[in-house]
Amino acid sequence: MRRPTQLADNHVFNIPDSMLFEEAAKKFLIEFFISYEQTVIDTFSDLYEEFPEVFPCVRKARDCVIVFNNTNIQFNIFQGKAMSITCVHNQFKTYGDYKKNQPSNDVERLQKRISLIGRDDAPLLQFTISYGFEGPTLDGSPGNSSRDPEDLPEMGKIKGRQIVFEQGNKIENRFSLFEFQKYVLKVDDQHFYYEIGEAIEAYKHGLYLAATAVAGVSLENILKIIISRKIPNSKLRDIPYIKECLDELVKHGLMEDRKKRDIMNFNNTRNGSAHSNSGKVLAKHAEEGFTIIKHLIDEYL
């Protein structure tokens, strides 16, 4: 199949009749929601009880917009006051029409989205399935591609289960990032136990600024513990800065300069986040702190 850039403007797409898929797409969503909620109840009820925001489509009024494109159907699920489903057709018969309607920048992209969907807020959930006869499928797996409208209700059930497992497994993997008991026992320090516990709880609740800041405090403590055990005659003051601890380890041949730079990069991120409003703290910043602390414990304690 030719790439889009190789197509002439008068190239005619072999597009499916999206009107034939309207009712089936609505049934897809109904089956999706039933399957989604049942899978959460059956498999992730404890996780949902503690972190309901992980599964945004459970027990909520939903305003749904289905967009029929040339080769895929896009499902947009928003928070709503009542259950509603709106269908929008966004198909182009020729490549020239398609090209003329492509936004050239982020402002145009947002304006096109608002005019198409009628909302400027982010959806709770957005996904697509492939349909029709031109263009590759998403990944060839069940629930992601159809040429027959009658397939869609069953695909909705499959998609509901798929997305719940993606959301549930993602959050469970996130929370197993720091093997709490293993490292607490290895360090055997009450201050570290308290500090890293606070950092992990903040991380679990999406409070990444707090998690990053407290991970930095835990890092300071770990470095002091390492120095007290590896360099018992160290002349460092009682409450040294991270850089002073790192310099001491490098000076005694216990750490390479490269590793020191990595840790200082995290410390600079931590300090910049905690003492200014110049940037947004992300999960990855806290995760970087956890990874450094785990490395230090494995390497030195």
Side-chain angles (χ1 to χ4, degrees):
M1 191 171 78
R2 285 179 294 174
R3 295 177 181 176
T5 52
Q6 297 172 318
L7 299 176
D9 284 358
N10 63 355
H11 173 83
V12 178
F13 292 121
N14 180 21
I15 59 176
D17 185 349
S18 58
M19 297 299 293
L20 295 177
F21 282 82
E22 265 205 14
E23 289 306 312
K26 292 176 183 177
K27 290 177 183 176
F28 173 102
L29 270 181
I30 292 168
E31 294 296 340
F32 170 85
F33 289 130
I34 293 170
S35 173
Y36 183 100
E37 293 197 3
Q38 193 58 51
T39 305
V40 171
I41 292 166
D42 292 344
T43 311
F44 294 103
S45 57
D46 291 344
L47 190 62
Y48 173 71
E49 218 171 284
E50 190 172 1
F51 303 103
E53 69 278 2
V54 172
F55 304 103
C57 293
V58 175
R59 297 172 189 163
K60 286 187 173 76
R62 290 153 299 216
D63 184 7
C64 308
V65 182
I66 305 172
V67 181
F68 294 88
N69 299 308
N70 276 24
T71 60
N72 67 58
I73 305 172
Q74 183 189 76
F75 296 89
N76 301 272
I77 302 169
F78 297 90
Q79 181 72 50
K81 294 181 179 178
M83 180 68 179
S84 67
I85 301 176
T86 304
C87 293
V88 178
H89 297 268
N90 184 46
Q91 293 181 302
F92 303 99
K93 290 185 177 179
T94 68
Y95 178 61
D97 290 338
Y98 167 81
K99 198 164 66 172
K100 278 189 297 187
N101 280 276
Q102 295 313 295
S104 60
N105 55 55
D106 289 342
V107 173
E108 287 186 9
R109 192 169 291 108
L110 177 60
Q111 289 173 341
K112 178 176 171 59
R113 182 169 174 270
I114 293 171
S115 66
L116 191 66
I117 297 177
R119 302 183 62 137
D120 61 357
D121 55 326
L124 297 172
L125 192 62
Q126 182 187 78
F127 57 87
T128 62
I129 62 171
S130 296
Y131 78 136
F133 311 99
E134 184 169 300
T137 62
L138 289 183
D139 59 18
S141 62
N144 282 318
S145 176
S146 171
R147 295 189 177 191
D148 186 345
E150 293 184 8
D151 294 339
L152 266 63
E154 184 61 29
M155 288 169 62
K157 295 178 186 177
I158 295 169
K159 199 69 176 176
R161 290 195 294 271
Q162 282 181 348
I163 288 182
V164 168
F165 274 99
E166 286 170 10
Q167 293 171 334
N169 290 336
K170 182 179 179 181
I171 203 76
E172 286 187 338
N173 290 340
R174 215 178 89 188
F175 293 170
S176 65
L177 175 77
F178 201 100
E179 301 93 319
F180 186 68
Q181 290 300 328
K182 170 186 170 183
Y183 286 97
V184 164
L185 291 171
K186 202 169 181 181
V187 175
D188 190 25
D189 180 86
Q190 281 300 114
H191 291 295
F192 175 74
Y193 175 89
Y194 171 74
E195 291 159 359
I196 201 63
E198 289 283 302
I200 292 168
E201 283 304 305
Y203 179 87
K204 284 182 178 181
H205 288 83
L207 304 173
Y208 302 129
L209 172 59
T212 302
V214 183
V217 175
S218 301
L219 174 59
E220 291 173 349
N221 198 13
I222 281 295
L223 288 169
K224 287 188 288 183
I225 291 168
I226 291 169
I227 289 170
S228 70
R229 296 182 189 179
K230 298 292 183 181
I231 316 171
N233 297 321
S234 172
K235 304 298 183 186
L236 276 182
R237 58 199 179 95
D238 290 340
I239 309 176
Y241 294 119
I242 283 180
K243 185 178 183 302
E244 293 174 305
C245 293
L246 296 173
D247 287 340
E248 186 78 352
L249 290 170
V250 171
K251 184 174 79 174
H252 286 81
L254 294 171
M255 180 179 288
E256 297 177 356
D257 279 326
R258 177 180 56 80
K259 193 63 194 175
K260 172 190 167 183
R261 286 196 298 273
D262 290 343
I263 296 173
M264 282 306 301
N265 284 338
F266 165 74
N267 188 52
N268 292 336
T269 298
R270 187 274 298 247
N271 287 340
S273 303
H275 299 298
S276 78
N277 59 359
S278 59
K280 182 178 180 181
V281 181
L282 304 175
K284 67 179 181 181
H285 296 135
E287 290 165 10
E288 183 185 359
F290 293 151
T291 300
I292 289 170
I293 291 168
K294 289 197 292 184
H295 166 78
L296 292 172
I297 296 171
D298 286 333
E299 183 78 14
Y300 298 103
L301 298 177

